[in-house]
Amino acid sequence: MDNFVINGGHELFGEVSISGAKNAAVAIIPAAILADDVVRIENIPQISDVQLIIEILDRMGADIKLVNKNTLDIDTSNINYQSVPYELTSHFRASYYLIGAMLGRFNQAEVAMPGGCNFGVRPIDQHIKGFEMLGADVDIVDGMVCAKADKLMGTSIYMDVVSVGATINIMLAAVKARGLTIIENAAKEPHIVDLANFLNSMGADVRGAGTDVIKIRGVEKMHGCTYSIIPDQIEAGTYMVATAACGGDVLIKNVIPKHLESISAKLEEAGAEVIEYDDAVRVTRFKALNKCNVKTMPHPGFPTDMQPQMAVLLSIANGTSILSESVWDNRFQYVGQLLRMGADIQVDGKVAVIVGVPKLAGVSVKATDLRAGAAMIIAGLVAEGTTTVEDIVYVDRGYEDIVEKLSALGADIKRVSVNDDNAVQTAG
Ligand code: EPU
């Protein structure tokens, strides 16, 4: 078990390079099942969610070769159809992409209901609706999602809610269905476009990704390809907010600035300066932070996955900010931890009222989920004194080399391992 120990109060300066996108990688890697051929995937982030999906493909018999730290060759030509048990799906949400990918490849799938961060009820009714409309019978038996089709047939599917996961899962199942599938009210997140580009590189015919209507004309066979995953919008946003919260001047490299516009706009409103380059953004902040109101929304709105990090920044801004969560029912669980650091936040349902305080104080806090963990790190960086962040397995799910990247910017952060007898040792 590891903790992060942070001595706060340092401004951040320098350059940081952003890794490949977690939420694209966890869709693209299982999509490799659809081509019974070798695919080379580059810019894969080294994070635990990715390791889990690779482990599942490995157990299915895929031949996976590490080309370098962030590149894999995946050959799924000899994989076997098999059910995926809960012990493999319980730790991450995206395990449900195996349902769409296996339906596409084998016309059947049996995958345990997924785990993942807990933001309240996380239904998968829209995924199931999509699979059924494509012609699959879907049952949930003893916690397993069992889907089977004689053949998948293209059709028109209207999504009742805008869902990233359901849009991706339906795309995975539909690329080899017969005829045309139209997904209406589709999610538009950057990783949806990235998955579509990957599928098209393997010979699929997917158009319209990034708009709310995606058209997929089924193809019989898909082939190998070489593909590089896009940079992680949320990792980039996390370093942007960290810089604005701590003060300083950081060049955030290997990003797509267009994906960061909603975050840049709010940081500028709060008193930071954001300069866009072709594939980098520079964030500087030397004056006091101002209040601003933020509402999370599906892309291109302000991402829910940046909401906890933004709450930390607003906690030390002048004035009172309103932070509204419109995607998840219960994404303010981390607020109790910030209160312990001296923040002044009141939560009423899906709205948090944040009254800025002059400073936060270092204490021991828990990462209640992945992005909450990132928020606790930022809180530790701005706080006076020492902050210990516990339960950092969540952070390891989504941030590659976070200690190394922050240390290079001048932060005082260490990963320490905690023995059973509670002695603390440095783990590098
Ligand atoms: N929803 C339904 N029915 C469904 C699916 C979703 O009602 O069948 C609802 C959800 O309850 C939620 C809303 O629709 O209120 C949006 O959920 P969505 O399906 O878009 O979320 P997801 O696919 O489960 C992905 C990311 C999350 C991110 C959300 C929203 C992955 C692996 N996860 O989750 O990322 O918060 O989209 O952008 O892509 C994270 O990276 O920390 C993370 C949690």
Side-chain angles (χ1 to χ4, degrees):
M1 196 176 66
D2 291 353
N3 291 339
F4 292 132
V5 176
I6 303 164
N7 290 307
H10 301 280
E11 293 184 327
L12 301 180
F13 290 94
E15 297 183 356
V16 61
S17 186
I18 297 306
S19 301
K22 166 179 98 76
N23 289 342
V26 294
I28 284 173
I29 293 169
I33 292 177
L34 292 160
D36 38 7
D37 203 348
V38 184
V39 293
R40 173 165 291 188
I41 307 174
E42 301 169 344
N43 206 29
I44 299 175
Q46 274 202 333
I47 52 176
S48 62
D49 271 16
V50 162
Q51 280 157 10
L52 289 169
I53 192 82
I54 291 170
E55 190 185 325
I56 295 177
L57 289 195
D58 184 51
R59 287 212 199 181
M60 291 171 79
D63 183 8
I64 302 172
K65 290 201 176 73
L66 188 67
V67 179
N68 62 43
K69 179 171 171 263
N70 300 105
T71 302
L72 289 177
D73 279 348
I74 304 179
D75 181 353
T76 60
S77 47
N78 291 318
I79 61 166
N80 307 309
Y81 172 77
Q82 56 183 265
S83 75
V84 184
Y86 186 64
E87 60 180 272
L88 294 177
T89 65
S90 58
H91 296 295
F92 74 120
R93 194 78 197 151
S95 50
Y96 55 28
Y97 293 146
L98 290 160
I99 310 172
M102 285 167 74
L103 259 181
R105 168 88 179 254
F106 299 111
N107 280 347
Q108 58 178 329
E110 206 177 294
V111 179
M113 289 286 278
C117 292
N118 176 14
F119 316 130
V121 185
R122 294 185 74 174
I124 59 164
D125 57 297
Q126 297 302 305
H127 305 234
I128 293 173
K129 169 178 158 173
F131 298 144
E132 288 180 337
M133 291 190 75
L134 288 167
D137 288 326
V138 186
D139 291 304
I140 299 183
V141 184
D142 296 333
M144 301 290 289
V145 183
C146 307
K148 199 167 176 133
D150 286 339
K151 57 176 183 266
L152 295 171
M153 298 291 291
T155 184
S156 209
I157 303 168
Y158 177 81
M159 313 286 296
D160 302 318
V161 293
V162 179
S163 162
V164 173
T167 303
I168 287 178
N169 238 337
I170 294 168
M171 287 165 73
L172 293 171
V175 278
K176 287 172 122 182
R178 279 198 202 166
L180 181 67
T181 300
I182 302 176
I183 308 174
E184 289 182 78
N185 201 23
K188 297 182 278 204
E189 268 62 11
H191 36 292
I192 303 241
V193 179
D194 207 31
L195 173 67
N197 289 338
F198 175 66
L199 293 169
N200 287 341
S201 304
M202 293 196 298
D205 182 356
V206 181
R207 294 166 197 215
T211 76
D212 47 21
V213 181
I214 299 177
K215 294 187 178 169
I216 303 161
R217 192 165 291 282
V219 294
E220 292 238 325
K221 261 191 97 54
M222 293 170 72
H223 50 71
C225 68
T226 296
Y227 192 79
S228 183
I229 290 173
I230 53 166
D232 195 304
Q233 174 203 29
I234 305 301
E235 189 199 11
T238 300
Y239 286 99
M240 291 170 76
V241 171
T243 307
C246 293
D249 181 349
V250 174
L251 185 69
I252 297 152
K253 300 192 300 185
N254 185 33
V255 301
I256 299 175
K258 179 97 193 135
H259 295 168
L260 303 171
E261 279 174 353
S262 61
I263 303 164
S264 302
K266 283 295 155 187
L267 291 183
E268 288 187 323
E269 212 177 311
E273 193 185 345
V274 182
I275 302 169
E276 285 185 9
Y277 302 98
D278 285 350
D279 61 356
V281 290
R282 180 175 169 195
V283 179
T284 51
R285 205 271 295 173
F286 292 107
K287 54 186 190 189
L289 289 165
N290 309 316
K291 70 180 172 70
C292 71
N293 297 336
V294 179
K295 181 171 184 174
T296 68
M297 282 189 279
H299 193 76
F302 189 89
T304 172
D305 293 341
M306 287 302 302
Q307 183 257 92
Q309 301 90 315
M310 199 65 189
V312 175
L313 179 138
L314 298 176
S315 293
I316 52 162
N318 289 326
T320 301
S321 305
I322 309 288
L323 181 57
S324 313
E325 171 59 50
S326 79
V327 177
W328 297 110
D329 285 339
N330 189 10
R331 206 173 190 173
F332 286 122
Q333 285 147 319
Y334 64 88
V335 165
Q337 307 295 314
L338 288 183
L339 296 182
R340 299 180 59 245
M341 298 181 78
D344 181 350
I345 306 176
Q346 290 210 18
V347 176
D348 185 4
K350 292 164 82 170
V351 176
V353 179
I354 305 178
V355 181
V357 295
K359 58 182 190 311
L360 298 177
V363 293
S364 278
V365 289
K366 287 187 189 310
T368 50
D369 63 56
L370 166 58
R371 307 306 172 186
M376 291 309 126
I377 292 173
I378 298 173
L381 294 175
V382 299
E384 273 185 6
T386 303
T387 299
T388 301
V389 184
E390 299 170 5
D391 294 345
I392 63 165
V393 281
Y394 285 112
V395 178
D396 291 334
R397 289 186 43 205
Y399 290 90
E400 184 175 50
D401 296 338
I402 191 162
V403 169
E404 293 75 7
K405 289 184 184 186
L406 283 171
S407 300
L409 298 176
D412 181 348
I413 175 170
K414 285 191 177 60
R415 179 186 289 264
V416 299
S417 65
V418 185
N419 283 339
D420 288 345
D421 60 3
N422 283 338
V424 173
Q425 295 177 341
T426 299

